[in-house]
Amino acid sequence: NCLSLLPEGISQLRNLTILDVTKNKLERFPNNFSQLISLSDLHASENCIEVLPDDFGCLKNLAQLKLDLNHLVVIPDSIGECYLLTEVFLFENMLESVPPSIFNIPNLEMLNLDRNHLMDLPSSVGKCKSLHVLSIRENELMFLPDEIGNLSGLKVLDVCGNRITHLPLSISNLQLDAFWIAGNQLQPLISLQQIPDPENPDQKVLTCQYLPQRPYSSELDLVDNSDMDSDGGFTQRGRLNSGTRLTVAFEPGTVMPDDIGGKLVRFPTPFRKELKNKHKKPKLDARPRTTVFKKGSMDDLTINTIVNSNSNEVPINNDMSSEENSTNHNKLTVENEERRDGWKGTQPSPLLKAHGMNNISEAFANGSQQSEDESVEQNHLPSKTKLQTIEVTV
């Protein structure tokens, strides 16, 4: 929805147990909000909430608190009075510190403070004996307090994406199931080595192959208008939240070209048919074409094209008279009939007679045994079998 403010009368719902206002544009809670004494679950993620009521601790029955993806800068100390809290989600806000009282909650089992601006953790962190999961990924922590080793119930600790150089020796007392130090860590648990403290050689600290840490350089920092100063720069890193107006800031003195005019120029998109016609290739004629070269001098060379080379039709020469063309037609017709008869085996063709064979089967049998020296020269053939034309098929 697009709610920017809850009605004041909501505080009169004394029996309300669950309130879910996720994905709105709330900037604050109404006055007397803490009078919802029966409230056990408050889900207000993805809003624009900047502060919480000072008397927030009056919500004595609150067990689950989800305020992630907001603009929170500070958490009131009264949150430590919510003794029934078991899960607190405060990731992706703008917190630079957390109140020490939050670790006085006796039943707190999960605390998520990922992607804030935390510089350190209070020493009271060791008082929360029931804490099972502590996630402080992608903050600005330089070290962890020694009291963190007193979290006897801690099973998962995530400190990826900070600036930690070494770990306190007390961490070796924890019975962790997963200890995440780097994003590229292959196993949930890694071996730690003891080394002298660089600042105090008399003490020991822990280190590993993933230390010292380096903050993620590939992180996309998005900012809202409130993060800009008077010079057009950015004062601090912001987060992309629901209902936040984003802006693009250029360096001071940047001159934009006048021809753009703040508008995008759209060019027509070519359709597939237009692209296909643009690169259309010419079609090739798949029919075999035979070119006939007549015997004679180059000056008298006549070229005729025959569509089907297997056809019995005789090409007509326009330079010859009708009687000469008719004579050639009869002559070729007789030769074609003789050639077919030779293949059928009725009578041997002149070419087979010249080699002393009666049919084509004898030609294949003798041809496999004939050597190169026994090849027949062209002048041994009868005169009527000499080639009169040359046919080239392309």
Side-chain angles (χ1 to χ4, degrees):
N1 296 310
C2 299
L3 295 176
S4 59
L5 186 64
L6 293 176
E8 296 290 339
I10 195 174
S11 59
Q12 299 179 5
L13 303 176
R14 302 299 176 87
N15 296 324
L16 182 65
T17 57
I18 300 176
L19 177 60
D20 191 344
V21 289
T22 305
K23 294 184 179 181
N24 280 279
K25 298 182 179 180
L26 299 178
E27 297 181 359
R28 64 179 181 86
F29 289 106
N31 298 328
N32 301 323
F33 181 77
S34 300
Q35 295 182 5
L36 298 175
I37 55 177
S38 300
L39 191 64
S40 60
D41 294 69
L42 176 57
H43 301 171
S45 304
E46 300 185 47
N47 280 276
C48 303
I49 302 173
E50 297 181 358
V51 294
L52 296 178
D54 293 336
D55 56 349
F56 192 81
C58 294
L59 301 175
K60 302 296 185 179
N61 291 319
L62 193 62
Q64 188 179 69
L65 177 62
K66 292 186 177 182
L67 291 172
D68 50 278
L69 290 162
N70 277 279
H71 295 172
L72 290 173
V73 179
V74 63
I75 302 295
D77 292 336
S78 61
I79 193 173
E81 300 176 7
C82 301
Y83 298 116
L84 298 181
L85 269 177
T86 58
E87 297 180 353
V88 177
F89 297 89
L90 296 172
F91 60 89
E92 294 202 31
N93 279 278
M94 299 180 184
L95 299 174
E96 295 183 358
S97 62
V98 291
S101 61
I102 195 173
F103 295 104
N104 294 330
I105 302 175
N107 297 318
L108 186 62
E109 298 179 355
M110 181 173 184
L111 177 60
N112 192 321
L113 298 168
D114 293 346
R115 303 181 185 91
N116 280 277
H117 304 286
L118 300 178
M119 302 292 293
D120 54 18
L121 290 178
S123 58
S124 60
V125 64
K127 297 180 180 180
C128 195
K129 303 294 184 179
S130 61
L131 191 62
H132 294 336
V133 179
L134 175 60
S135 184
I136 45 179
R137 173 188 291 257
E138 296 182 40
N139 281 273
E140 300 176 11
L141 297 174
M142 302 291 292
F143 62 93
L144 296 177
D146 293 336
E147 290 78 7
I148 199 172
N150 297 331
L151 298 175
S152 56
L154 193 63
K155 297 300 180 181
V156 178
L157 177 60
D158 191 343
V159 296
C160 295
N162 286 275
R163 301 177 183 178
I164 299 174
T165 57
H166 56 269
L167 300 171
L169 188 61
S170 60
I171 285 186
S172 59
N173 299 329
L174 300 177
Q175 302 296 324
L176 295 174
D177 294 334
F179 183 22
W180 300 103
I181 302 177
N184 58 347
Q185 186 174 323
L186 300 179
Q187 298 179 354
L189 291 176
I190 58 175
S191 59
L192 301 174
Q193 297 82 34
Q194 294 187 17
I195 61 171
D197 189 349
E199 298 180 357
N200 189 359
D202 296 335
Q203 296 182 358
K204 297 290 184 179
V205 294
L206 298 176
T207 186
C208 65
Q209 57 183 340
Y210 300 108
L211 296 178
Q213 289 181 332
R214 295 178 178 84
Y216 295 138
S217 59
S218 61
E219 182 179 357
L220 180 61
D221 294 335
L222 299 173
V223 298
D224 57 9
N225 294 337
S226 61
D227 296 327
M228 297 183 63
D229 55 20
S230 59
D231 297 333
F234 300 121
T235 58
Q236 62 178 353
R237 183 183 66 182
R239 298 289 178 182
L240 177 61
N241 298 302
S242 177
T244 302
R245 289 187 62 187
L246 299 180
T247 183
V248 178
F250 297 92
E251 295 182 359
T254 303
V255 179
M256 297 300 295
D258 298 334
D259 54 347
I260 295 180
K263 296 182 180 180
L264 297 177
V265 180
R266 178 178 175 85
F267 293 93
T269 304
F271 293 96
R272 182 177 180 182
K273 185 176 181 181
E274 296 177 0
L275 293 175
K276 186 176 181 180
N277 294 334
K278 184 178 180 181
H279 301 283
K280 191 174 182 180
K281 297 181 179 180
K283 294 184 179 180
L284 300 177
D285 191 358
R287 296 179 301 174
R289 304 183 66 85
T290 304
T291 303
V292 180
F293 298 87
K294 288 292 183 178
K295 180 180 178 182
S297 62
M298 294 301 296
D299 297 334
D300 299 331
L301 186 63
T302 303
I303 300 177
N304 292 319
T305 301
I306 302 176
V307 174
N308 189 357
S309 61
N310 296 328
S311 176
N312 293 329
E313 297 182 1
V314 180
I316 300 175
N317 190 347
N318 295 329
D319 296 336
M320 297 182 180
S321 62
S322 60
E323 296 180 356
E324 293 177 349
N325 283 326
S326 177
T327 303
N328 291 336
H329 181 272
N330 295 334
K331 181 179 179 180
L332 290 176
T333 301
V334 173
E335 291 180 356
N336 289 337
E337 292 178 356
E338 293 179 355
R339 189 181 299 112
R340 288 196 299 269
D341 294 340
W343 279 90
K344 292 179 181 178
T346 56
Q347 59 181 356
S349 65
L351 184 60
L352 294 177
K353 289 181 179 180
H355 291 275
M357 290 177 278
N358 295 325
N359 51 47
I360 193 67
S361 59
E362 295 182 5
F364 280 105
N366 296 335
S368 60
Q369 301 176 358
Q370 186 179 7
S371 62
E372 295 182 357
D373 298 336
E374 297 176 353
S375 61
V376 180
E377 297 181 357
Q378 183 177 357
N379 53 7
H380 293 171
L381 297 175
S383 58
K384 66 176 181 179
T385 61
K386 291 184 179 181
L387 297 177
Q388 300 298 324
T389 62
I390 300 176
E391 298 183 1
V392 180
T393 303
V394 294

